[in-house]
C-alpha cells in the first residue's frame, strides 16, 4: 500500500497546492467544488453536486451497507499579514487531499464488492451549518459507518502520532444586540448606558455555575458601542458570545442561563436584549466499533507505540451533527498528529505535509477493515 501511496504523492501534492491557493469561506466554495468535481470526474468517478449549495459527493459500488468518508471544504475569513481574506488555517485543504487520496488509493486496490462507499465533500463546516444542510438533503439517510479526519495541533499531539477518535465539545456562536436610547453625558438618566449593561452581562456570565466535572465556558468576544463623540452615552450595542461545553446537555443548560441573564437585564434596565444563534456544533458521539476499526488501522500503519488515546478537546466540529441527528450512524474521526504550529486557526498555521500520506493509509485501511468485518459477519449469518 505504501508503494501505491508513493506513486500518488506527486499528483496529490499538486492537488493540495491547488486547494491551498483557492480558499473560500462557507457556502461560497464554488471554485473548490468545481475543481474537485472536474478532477474526480476525470479519474472516472461519478460526481454528484447538491441542488442548492456548494459541495459534492461520490458513490461507488452497490450493497446494503454504506461506508462513508467525509471532509470539510471551507476556509476561514481572517487577517493574514494585514489583509483580511479566506485562509486554510484549519487544515481543510489537507482533509480534502486525504479524502481524494483515499479514493484514488482504493481505486488502485479495488473497491471491496457488495458494499457501497460514499465520499462526501461538505461545505460550511466553520459556520456550523454544513452538516445540517446535508442531513436535510438526505445524504446521510443510508449511511451505516462514517469516518472523518482532522489535523491536531502540536499542543495536543506530536507529529507522527494518531488517535482513533476526537471527542470535540459542543459550541454555540451567539450574536446579540442591546437596544436602548442614547443620552447626553450630562443627563444619563434620560437614556440607557449600553456599555454598563454589557459590563453587567459579562459579570453575570462569569457567575454561571454548572457541574464542575464537565468543562464549559462562555465569554464575550466582541462588543461595539458608541461613536466618535465622547459626550454621548450609547444606548445601543452589538456583541458576540462564544459558548462551549464538553457535552450537549451542558451546552443547553449554559445557553438557557445566558438567555435568563439577558431577560433579567433587559427588564432591570428597560431595554431590549436580543440573542441569535448564528452557528453551533454538537459534541462528539463516538461508536466503539468504528473506533476499533480505526485503531487497528493506526497500529497497522504506524505501530502501537504511535497510537494515543482519544483526544478530548473543547474545540468544535459540525461532523458530530451527523450522529446527533442520525443516532444509528456508527462514526469516529481520526486525530492526526502532524507538527501543526502555532495552532489551529492561526493565520500562519503550518504542518508537516507528509502526515497527509499517513492519514490516507489509515483512512483507507479503516474503510477496508470495516468492509471486511461486514463481509465476515454476512458469511456467518448465512
Amino acid at each position: 500500500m505504501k508503494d501505491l501511496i508513493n506513486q500518488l504523492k506527486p499528483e496529490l501534492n499538486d492537488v493540495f497546492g491547488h486547494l491551498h491557493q483557492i480558499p473560500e469561506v462557507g457556502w461560497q466554495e464554488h471554485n473548490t467544488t468545481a475543481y474537485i468535481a472536474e478532477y474526480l470526474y476525470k479519474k472516472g468517478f461519478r460526481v454528484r453536486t447538491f441542488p442548492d449549495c456548494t459541495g459534492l459527493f461520490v458513490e461507488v459500488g452497490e450493497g446494503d451497507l454504506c461506508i462513508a468518508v467525509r471532509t470539510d471544504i471551507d476556509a476561514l475569513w481572517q487577517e493574514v499579514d494585514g489583509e483580511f481574506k479566506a485562509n486554510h488555517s484549519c487544515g481543510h485543504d489537507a482533509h480534502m487531499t486525504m479524502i481524494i487520496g483515499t479514493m484514488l488509493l482504493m481505486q488502485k486496490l479495488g473497491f471491496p464488492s457488495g458494499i457501497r462507499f460514499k465520499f462526501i465533500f461538505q461545505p460550511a463546516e466553520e459556520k456550523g451549518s454544513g452538516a445540517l444542510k446535508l442531513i436535510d438533503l438526505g445524504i446521510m439517510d443510508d449511511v451505516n459507518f462514517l469516518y472523518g479526519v482532522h489535523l491536531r495541533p502540536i499542543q495536543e499531539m506530536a507529529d507522527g502520532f494518531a488517535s482513533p477518535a476526537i471527542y470535540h465539545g459542543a459550541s454555540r456562536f451567539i450574536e446579540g444586540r442591546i437596544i436602548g436610547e442614547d443620552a447626553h453625558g450630562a443627563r444619563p438618566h434620560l437614556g440607557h448606558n449600553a456599555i454598563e449593561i454589557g459590563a453587567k452581562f459579562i459579570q453575570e456570565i462569569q457567575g454561571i455555575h454548572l457541574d464542575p466535572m464537565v468543562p464549559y465556558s462562555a465569554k464575550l468576544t466582541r462588543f461595539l458601542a458608541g461613536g466618535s463623540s465622547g459626550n454621548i452615552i450609547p444606548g445601543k450595542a452589538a456583541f458576540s458570545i462564544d459558548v462551549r461545553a464538553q457535552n450537549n446537555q451542558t451546552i443547553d443548560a449554559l445557553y438557557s442561563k445566558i438567555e435568563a441573564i439577558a431577560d433579567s437585564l433587559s427588564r432591570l434596565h428597560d431595554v431590549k436584549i436580543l440573542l441569535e444563534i448564528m452557528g453551533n456544533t454538537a459534541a462528539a458521539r463516538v461508536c466503539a466499533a468504528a473506533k476499533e476499526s480505526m485503531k487497528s488501522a493506526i497500529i497497522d500503519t504506524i505501530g502501537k507505540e504511535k497510537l494515543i488515546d482519544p483526544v478530548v478537546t473543547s474545540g468544535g466540529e459540525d461532523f458530530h451533527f451527523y450522529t446527533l441527528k442520525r443516532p444509528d450512524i456508527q462514526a469516529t474521526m481520526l486525530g492526526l498528529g502532524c507538527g501543526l504550529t502555532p495552532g489551529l486557526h492561526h493565520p500562519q498555521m503550518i504542518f508537516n505535509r507528509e502526515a497527509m500520506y499517513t492519514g490516507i493509509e489509515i483512512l483507507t485501511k479503516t474503510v477496508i477493515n470495516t468492509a471486511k468485518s461486514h463481509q465476515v459477519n454476512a458469511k456467518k449469518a448465512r
Side-chain angles (χ1 to χ4, degrees):
M1 189 176 289
K2 283 182 170 58
D3 288 342
L4 291 176
I5 293 173
N6 284 331
Q7 292 174 23
L8 291 169
K9 270 187 180 183
E11 187 171 349
L12 290 173
N13 281 337
D14 290 342
V15 169
F16 174 84
H18 185 84
L19 292 170
H20 186 73
Q21 294 299 319
I22 58 166
E24 297 169 296
V25 296
W27 303 125
Q28 297 179 35
E29 311 96 328
H30 302 290
N31 292 329
T32 303
T33 299
Y35 170 76
I36 296 172
E38 182 180 8
Y39 178 86
L40 293 177
Y41 175 78
K42 289 180 178 178
K43 291 296 179 180
F45 292 102
R46 188 164 70 96
V47 176
R48 298 172 64 180
T49 55
F50 304 124
D52 58 353
C53 70
T54 47
L56 62 112
F57 72 100
V58 170
E59 202 163 6
V60 179
E62 296 181 354
D64 294 333
L65 185 80
C66 180
I67 303 172
V69 186
R70 168 269 195 189
T71 176
D72 29 24
I73 69 172
D74 58 327
L76 290 155
W77 185 261
Q78 62 185 158
E79 186 177 356
V80 183
D81 297 329
E83 177 188 358
F84 277 93
K85 60 182 179 180
N87 185 38
H88 273 305
S89 58
C90 202
H92 296 185
D93 45 359
H95 301 168
M96 289 184 276
T97 304
M98 282 187 273
I99 302 317
I100 291 171
T102 298
M103 295 173 69
L104 297 181
L105 181 57
M106 292 192 70
Q107 189 179 52
K108 285 181 174 293
L109 293 170
F111 287 91
S113 61
I115 296 170
R116 283 182 300 116
F117 301 91
K118 191 177 285 190
F119 301 92
I120 301 166
F121 295 80
Q122 179 214 296
E125 187 278 324
E126 296 294 351
K127 293 185 179 297
S129 53
L132 292 171
K133 175 64 176 180
L134 298 200
I135 291 168
D136 289 342
L137 290 172
I139 304 302
M140 310 306 296
D141 288 353
D142 59 350
V143 171
N144 302 103
F145 284 87
L146 176 65
Y147 296 105
V149 59
H150 208 300
L151 306 182
R152 303 319 301 159
I154 200 165
Q155 297 90 342
E156 286 183 4
M157 194 182 303
D159 190 11
F161 288 76
S163 169
I166 306 173
Y167 285 90
H168 286 101
S171 60
R172 287 186 190 171
F173 313 110
I174 303 165
E175 295 293 317
R177 287 189 296 153
I178 299 170
I179 304 174
E181 294 293 333
D182 289 358
H184 193 289
R187 290 175 284 277
H189 62 291
L190 297 180
H192 309 93
N193 193 326
I195 295 174
E196 291 180 354
I197 297 169
K200 289 181 181 179
F201 209 143
I202 293 171
Q203 289 177 328
E204 292 295 327
I205 287 177
Q206 290 175 338
I208 293 175
H209 296 293
L210 299 173
D211 184 352
M213 301 303 293
V214 180
Y216 64 90
S217 69
K219 57 275 181 188
L220 265 71
T221 55
R222 182 180 66 98
F223 193 89
L224 301 173
S228 59
S229 298
N231 63 344
I232 296 176
I233 299 171
K236 297 179 176 65
F239 58 90
S240 302
I241 309 175
D242 180 283
V243 184
R244 297 178 186 268
Q246 203 57 55
N247 61 44
N248 295 312
Q249 296 77 19
T250 300
I251 203 163
D252 286 340
L254 186 54
Y255 182 66
S256 293
K257 294 280 189 183
I258 293 170
E259 283 186 310
I261 291 169
D263 181 63
S264 176
L265 288 174
S266 65
R267 286 185 283 107
L268 178 63
H269 293 279
D270 194 26
V271 296
K272 288 183 180 180
I273 300 180
L274 306 178
L275 301 178
E276 182 179 2
I277 298 174
M278 305 303 294
N280 63 100
T281 60
R285 298 175 61 181
V286 175
C287 167
K291 184 172 67 173
E292 281 303 309
S293 290
M294 187 165 284
K295 180 179 177 180
S296 296
I298 292 171
I299 293 172
D300 190 46
T301 301
I302 57 177
K304 192 172 183 179
E305 68 279 3
K306 295 295 182 69
L307 170 74
I308 67 170
D309 292 336
V311 172
V312 178
T313 173
S314 58
E317 238 286 356
D318 83 342
F319 177 88
H320 306 298
F321 275 128
Y322 294 124
T323 51
L324 179 68
K325 301 294 185 179
R326 296 287 184 272
D328 291 340
I329 293 177
Q330 302 176 74
T332 193
M333 176 173 276
L334 170 66
L336 189 64
C338 55
L340 189 154
T341 59
L344 291 168
H345 291 205
H346 191 284
Q348 306 299 336
M349 184 274 277
I350 58 171
F351 68 98
N352 176 12
R353 296 181 183 179
E354 283 296 308
M356 293 191 297
Y357 303 104
T358 299
I360 290 168
E361 185 173 353
I362 292 171
L363 287 170
T364 302
K365 288 179 178 178
T366 299
V367 171
I368 291 173
N369 288 346
T370 306
K372 286 182 177 178
S373 178
H374 172 74
Q375 290 169 336
V376 169
N377 291 335
K379 286 182 179 179
K380 288 180 180 178
R382 291 189 188 129

